Amino acid sequence: VISHAPPTNEPFKFTPVKLPFVLRLDDANLQKLVIKSSTSAINFYKIQLNDAVWSDNKIEFENSALAMDFLSVNKATGHIELDKKYPLDLKAHVILPALENLNVRDIAVVAKGDLDTLKVGVASALPSLVSGNAVLHPVREFVPMRAKLYWSELDIPVAPEQELHSNLGAINLSGDLRQLNINADLDLIGKNIPQGQYQAQLNTDLNQLNITQFFGHLMQGELNLRGNLNWQDGLKWDVYGRMQDINPKDK
């Protein structure tokens, strides 16, 4: 599907789409679908529809699946209406290949609202339970969003040899694809890392992570860090800070 129209700065138009007949697909498979515009292309693979019905302006489906370049969706059930601001209600399981090395393999997602303001709840077992919620605006420029991720008794699936563990923590996200602001508050302990409480204020443009403030309270003292991490041309760190009142005799 190719659109040759030049890009505009106009907001997304929620054009009503009404089918003059009922389209029913009991079992349909599509190997690949490409949607191209003058500035981008979106690839869909292995689309599987089960008990899908498009009647009037409402599309319903059950236990359906699809894959994209950066995620795959299965067990998708719900509906979307192609009217007003395209209201929807669906649930699915999402797999992000980029997170599989962290043992995050199956994320349960519930989405409600519409394409202008989408309300999403997520949960994943690691086997510890991590859950969260988000409000995002998918069709607005740069996709504004806010979200919260929280956990308890989490074995952090990074650097497994360090046996990192957090009893309680939360991460708040806000911003858009130009700059996503991250506020984190958690406790942490590891095999070679003393137990401590940490707070961090970060932001990213998806090319570089800027550490505005990283504060830790551990070993009866304090740790303060600032800097950035860039991954455009390989992994590059530039971080500086200070430690004070650290007690080396602290157990």
Side-chain angles (χ1 to χ4, degrees):
V1 180
I2 302 175
S3 170
H4 296 284
T8 69
N9 293 322
E10 297 179 0
F12 182 82
K13 294 181 175 65
F14 293 95
T15 306
V17 181
K18 183 179 294 188
L19 209 62
F21 54 86
V22 175
L23 176 63
R24 183 182 300 275
L25 297 173
D26 296 325
D27 184 6
N29 291 278
L30 189 63
Q31 283 299 107
K32 187 174 182 180
L33 170 65
V34 182
I35 300 177
K36 290 184 178 181
S37 70
S38 56
T39 58
S40 64
I42 303 175
N43 298 308
F44 298 91
Y45 310 96
K46 298 180 180 178
I47 301 172
Q48 180 181 351
L49 295 174
N50 295 312
D51 297 323
V53 179
W54 185 351
S55 177
D56 201 11
N57 56 22
K58 187 175 184 179
I59 301 173
E60 300 175 89
F61 47 88
E62 293 185 15
N63 197 26
S64 298
L66 63 83
M68 299 176 68
D69 291 325
F70 54 89
L71 63 80
S72 61
V73 178
N74 56 58
K75 301 180 182 178
T77 297
H79 71 265
I80 180 170
E81 297 178 37
L82 303 181
D83 197 4
K84 298 179 181 179
K85 291 188 176 182
Y86 293 7
L88 56 81
D89 187 343
L90 62 90
K91 59 182 178 180
H93 285 216
V94 175
I95 297 174
L96 299 171
L99 298 181
E100 287 189 342
N101 288 337
L102 302 181
N103 202 30
V104 181
R105 302 186 183 278
D106 201 358
I107 304 171
V109 176
V110 175
K112 297 179 181 292
D114 53 47
L115 277 190
D116 183 63
T117 302
L118 191 60
K119 300 175 183 179
V120 180
V122 299
S124 179
L126 295 175
S128 304
L129 180 65
V130 179
S131 56
N133 55 70
V135 176
L136 59 155
H137 307 281
V139 297
R140 297 186 193 180
E141 188 175 18
F142 303 115
V143 192
M145 68 185 75
R146 67 179 186 273
K148 183 174 183 178
L149 187 69
Y150 41 92
W151 62 85
S152 60
E153 302 300 334
L154 173 64
D155 293 320
I156 299 176
V158 177
E161 69 279 357
Q162 288 299 321
E163 301 175 6
L164 299 177
H165 181 82
S166 175
N167 293 312
L168 194 67
I171 296 176
N172 287 280
L173 307 173
S174 64
D176 56 33
L177 295 181
R178 294 170 300 178
Q179 179 172 308
L180 190 62
N181 303 305
I182 306 167
N183 288 295
D185 187 352
L186 72 154
D187 70 292
L188 185 68
I189 188 172
K191 185 176 180 180
N192 296 310
I193 298 175
Q195 186 170 11
Q197 186 72 32
Y198 300 90
Q199 293 87 36
Q201 294 180 4
L202 321 165
N203 65 75
T204 179
D205 60 359
L206 306 184
N207 294 309
Q208 176 171 298
L209 180 68
N210 300 305
I211 306 169
T212 305
Q213 184 180 48
F214 185 95
F215 175 78
H217 181 75
L218 70 161
M219 297 175 66
Q220 304 176 35
E222 296 179 353
L223 169 68
N224 279 282
L225 297 176
R226 295 176 182 268
N228 60 70
L229 164 63
N230 188 290
W231 52 82
Q232 279 187 295
D233 301 312
L235 203 58
K236 296 181 180 178
W237 288 89
D238 183 9
V239 179
Y240 60 94
R242 62 180 296 176
M243 299 169 65
Q244 61 186 30
D245 300 327
I246 296 294
N247 182 2
K249 295 182 180 181
D250 185 275
K251 292 183 180 181

